[in-house]
Amino acid sequence: TWQYYPIPGGELIIHPGTADTINDCLTYGSYSTPVMSDIDLYFTTEATVKWSNVPKEPVGITTAPGVTLRVSSCTVPAGVIYGRGETIISNCNVYSDVYSDGNLSISNQSIYGDIHCRGNLVIRDATVHGDVYCDGDVTFYSAALRGSIFSNGPIKMNDGSMTGSLLSMSDITVSSASIVKGIVYSHTKIRAGNMSAHAVFFSGGDI
């Protein structure tokens, strides 16, 4: 039978078969290797892209497998940044799509392209205008999300704002955040507290 729970300003209704109907709604697939017709910068050892060597649009930046790539203190025009190891981007305005085969760290900047990460992703003190796709864990704090996050691992959002959506094949934890609209979808569990939300919440497990 339907189960009704009063909540401030509304009513929470839980159907006993809800978990079965939404459990497999979301699937996640990792990204394909980006096609780069023109490569401006190719690094075989750890290197930094900065104001003095950033290419013109359309940008093509990549590395050899396993090589760490840093992008710092510059504006990167539209194009592709493809780090084939760990990628660290800080103090930039980035209009390119970003791909990282390893872990990806983004801080103190605005990203206007989409983000693709095969490792774990940390976004701090940043504004993300595009969509985010991550195979691993996503940690998002003191930041603003304008697009959506799709993750195969857990998502942790703290002290941020969101107008897009959070979709995870694992747990989602949201605290000290403002969710203006969108969908918060977890395949397993949602933990939420100390926040304001005008969004749709779905969970294949507990909320």
Side-chain angles (χ1 to χ4, degrees), residues 137-177:
D137 301 356
V138 177
T139 302
F140 186 93
Y141 60 99
S142 299
L145 177 65
R146 304 289 180 256
S148 296
I149 295 178
F150 304 85
S151 178
N152 194 50
I155 298 174
K156 294 182 180 179
M157 181 179 183
N158 183 60
D159 191 23
S161 63
M162 183 183 91
T163 57
S165 296
L166 302 177
L167 303 103
S168 173
M169 295 299 293
S170 184
D171 295 359
I172 294 178
T173 301
V174 183
S175 61
S176 302

Side-chain angles (χ1 to χ4, degrees), residues 11-40:
E11 194 172 57
L12 175 65
I13 304 174
I14 301 177
H15 185 274
T18 298
D20 293 335
T21 63
I22 70 172
N23 195 46
D24 295 318
C25 289
L26 179 67
T27 58
Y28 178 88
S30 186
Y31 65 85
S32 301
T33 300
V35 176
M36 303 177 68
S37 55
D38 295 310
I39 297 177
D40 301 296

